[in-house]
Amino acid sequence: TDVKSEIQKRYTKMNTALGNKNVVGAFEYYDPNFTGISVSGQIIGLGSAKQVATQIIQTAKSISITTTISTLSLKDSTANLKTKTHAVLTIIDPGTKKLNKLEIDDVSEDTWVKGATGWLWKYSKTLISTTKVNGKRTQ
């Protein structure tokens, strides 16, 4: 298979695992030295990413995530991608106990590296992120 479809399969598998509330599967293809950078410049490592995912899983009634690779450039065993992610979560408000629909759309630059176990996600920088709660934009 080509690199783009191989990495796309890995995004899909991790997103499905998150939807099934499986934290281990959600991080199956992350490099141990993964670094994520938010739009505001906040840096997050793999441990923190797992903590955030665990918290989301505990408060979300349902999770649906789709990641699509827009562009990919390959140099040796490094793939640089631009991705679009659309997430829809149904979350229980701890105060009111009401269900809220949370929609997140991100555009990111991601780097994957090929190692002994195949492609692993090493780096992600979120360029654009928009959030809606119950259809109303929050940022």
Side-chain angles (χ1 to χ4, degrees), residues 31-77:
D31 185 273
N33 298 312
F34 174 84
T35 303
I37 302 176
S38 71
V39 172
S40 64
Q42 182 184 3
I43 297 169
I44 187 170
L46 183 57
S48 298
K50 285 181 178 178
Q51 284 179 334
V52 169
T54 301
Q55 290 170 344
I56 290 168
I57 283 169
Q58 288 169 350
T59 57
K61 201 145 171 67
S62 68
I63 303 168
S64 172
I65 304 171
T66 308
T67 302
T68 308
I69 298 170
S70 306
T71 62
L72 181 145
S73 64
L74 189 62
K75 186 173 196 264
D76 302 321
S77 59

Side-chain angles (χ1 to χ4, degrees), residues 11-27:
Y11 278 120
T12 302
K13 194 172 177 188
M14 290 188 296
N15 288 342
T16 301
L18 200 54
N20 292 332
K21 300 187 175 190
N22 171 358
V23 176
V24 174
F27 289 90

Side-chain angles (χ1 to χ4, degrees), residues 6-135:
E6 180 64 32
I7 294 174
Q8 182 65 63
K9 283 179 193 165
R10 291 185 173 219
Y11 278 120
T12 302
K13 194 172 177 188
M14 290 188 296
N15 288 342
T16 301
L18 200 54
N20 292 332
K21 300 187 175 190
N22 171 358
V23 176
V24 174
F27 289 90
E28 183 177 357
Y29 301 116
Y30 276 66
D31 185 273
N33 298 312
F34 174 84
T35 303
I37 302 176
S38 71
V39 172
S40 64
Q42 182 184 3
I43 297 169
I44 187 170
L46 183 57
S48 298
K50 285 181 178 178
Q51 284 179 334
V52 169
T54 301
Q55 290 170 344
I56 290 168
I57 283 169
Q58 288 169 350
T59 57
K61 201 145 171 67
S62 68
I63 303 168
S64 172
I65 304 171
T66 308
T67 302
T68 308
I69 298 170
S70 306
T71 62
L72 181 145
S73 64
L74 189 62
K75 186 173 196 264
D76 302 321
S77 59
T78 302
N80 292 303
L81 302 84
K82 198 166 198 181
T83 61
K84 289 181 182 179
T85 300
H86 178 71
V88 180
L89 297 88
T90 306
I91 295 180
I92 301 162
D93 183 305
T96 64
K97 305 290 183 217
K98 289 184 179 173
L99 290 179
N100 290 306
K101 181 180 176 184
L102 180 67
E103 288 180 88
I104 304 164
D105 285 288
D106 287 349
V107 175
S108 300
E109 287 177 344
D110 295 350
T111 301
W112 287 66
V113 290
K114 189 166 189 176
T117 59
W119 291 96
L120 294 177
W121 195 1
K122 176 107 178 174
Y123 173 85
S124 182
K125 181 178 182 182
T126 305
L127 304 175
I128 303 166
S129 183
T130 57
T131 304
K132 288 181 188 173
V133 177
N134 300 325

